[in-house]
Amino acid sequence: MSDLQQQIAELAALLRESDNIVFFGGAGVSTESNIPDFRSTDGLYHQQYDYPPETILSHTFFMRNTEEFYRFYKDKMLILDAKPNPAHLALARLEEMGKLKAVITQNIDGLHQAAGSKNVQELHGSVLRNYCMRCGQFYDGEYMKHADGVPKCEKCGGIIKPDVVLYEEGLDGDTISKSVSAIAKADVLIIGGTSLVVYPAAGLIDYYNGHKLVLINRDSTPRDGRADLIIRAPIGQVFSKAMELL
């Protein structure tokens, strides 16, 4: 049995034995659904634009250069045809089995819910929810995708803003509270597809008091030293094989 097979067998054993699992995930969970991540060598941060993505995706840039913001956002962030991959589907199945208590995600693509997960805490919001800054009218992702230039409200003409946490903006307090509670109560915490360098999201790991910490990520993270099990392989592949062993 290879090292990877052994690690997946260990993960499957943890999934079998526990009914209080929490999953904390980042961009790497969705790369197998063809949504680019940010920090890997082929991620968004390594592509060339007039401004760095971190600058474009800031509150200040949104307010001052709204048209340029939307040109980038529609091209690179508003990906509506992506489908859940085996990782999303496995997590939804584990929740259905009563084993997984929460998915806490840094992603904004809505793929966990598309796969069937019910208890999803979206730390950074969702591209599927958009609101007029003037009157609060809701708009879906399709409206934003097909709007010319800066999306405007049909009711009042105000600018529509994605319900996405931009740089310089704070995370939603209720989402943070629910995420902290789930992590603090978990027996098993599985962290997947995240470099664990984006704060305050990565700091939520500090609330974990359980007995098994699993890290599934292709690169090393600052928390590797705390992990009981580290798997360096594509997360969809890992979960699909682990589910076969349940």
Side-chain angles (χ1 to χ4, degrees):
M1 184 182 285
S2 70
D3 286 347
L4 179 58
Q5 287 173 318
Q6 179 63 43
Q7 291 161 355
I8 291 173
E10 280 184 51
L11 174 62
L14 286 175
L15 298 178
R16 260 197 310 275
E17 292 159 11
S18 180
D19 60 359
N20 187 3
I21 304 166
V22 167
F23 179 81
F24 180 97
V29 178
S30 291
T31 51
E32 288 169 82
S33 296
N34 296 316
I35 293 180
D37 71 347
F38 275 68
R39 288 178 171 76
S40 66
T41 51
D42 52 352
L44 286 180
Y45 280 2
H46 295 268
Q47 298 175 20
Q48 295 303 309
Y49 296 95
D50 291 342
Y51 303 88
E54 208 156 32
T55 299
I56 297 173
L57 297 173
S58 69
H59 180 83
T60 299
F61 194 92
F62 174 80
M63 298 303 289
R64 291 181 184 167
N65 303 278
T66 313
E67 195 163 337
E68 185 69 18
F69 169 90
Y70 270 116
R71 194 173 296 127
F72 175 87
Y73 177 80
K74 289 179 186 177
D75 184 35
K76 293 296 178 186
M77 310 299 289
L78 197 55
I79 301 169
L80 301 179
D81 56 356
K83 298 287 187 286
N85 65 52
H88 299 108
L89 296 169
L91 292 164
R93 178 75 185 114
L94 288 168
E95 183 185 46
E96 190 180 37
M97 293 165 70
K99 292 181 167 294
L100 186 77
K101 300 309 181 194
V103 168
I104 300 163
T105 181
Q106 299 174 83
N107 296 341
I108 56 175
D109 50 43
L111 289 179
H112 285 293
Q113 292 93 327
S117 290
K118 302 286 190 290
N119 187 6
V120 181
Q121 301 303 324
E122 295 174 306
L123 294 172
H124 297 151
S126 172
V127 299
L128 305 181
R129 298 187 300 270
N130 307 273
Y131 298 95
C132 172
M133 296 175 72
R134 188 183 297 166
C135 75
Q137 175 69 27
F138 170 87
Y139 290 90
D140 63 15
E142 290 291 341
Y143 182 89
M144 303 296 281
K145 189 79 172 176
H146 297 109
D148 290 328
V150 176
K152 297 285 181 63
C153 178
E154 292 179 338
K155 282 178 65 177
C156 74
I159 292 172
I160 304 169
K161 183 178 182 293
D163 186 16
V164 168
V165 179
L166 301 176
Y167 291 102
E168 305 166 349
E169 296 179 345
L171 304 190
D172 177 71
D174 187 51
T175 303
I176 286 283
S177 177
K178 288 176 179 174
S179 300
V180 165
S181 176
I183 288 172
K185 292 174 187 171
D187 288 335
V188 175
L189 178 62
I190 302 172
I191 300 172
T194 173
S195 55
L196 290 176
V197 296
V198 176
Y199 282 80
L204 296 179
I205 308 308
D206 293 331
Y207 292 94
Y208 178 59
N209 301 304
H211 65 282
K212 288 293 180 183
L213 178 63
V214 180
L215 274 171
I216 308 170
N217 199 53
R218 66 184 191 184
D219 302 315
S220 60
T221 80
R223 304 302 178 105
D224 284 7
R226 275 190 65 186
D228 299 287
L229 175 61
I230 298 174
I231 305 177
R232 301 227 187 282
I235 192 165
Q237 174 190 321
V238 169
F239 266 113
S240 60
K241 289 185 175 172
M243 295 301 284
E244 289 171 8
L245 299 175
L246 284 193

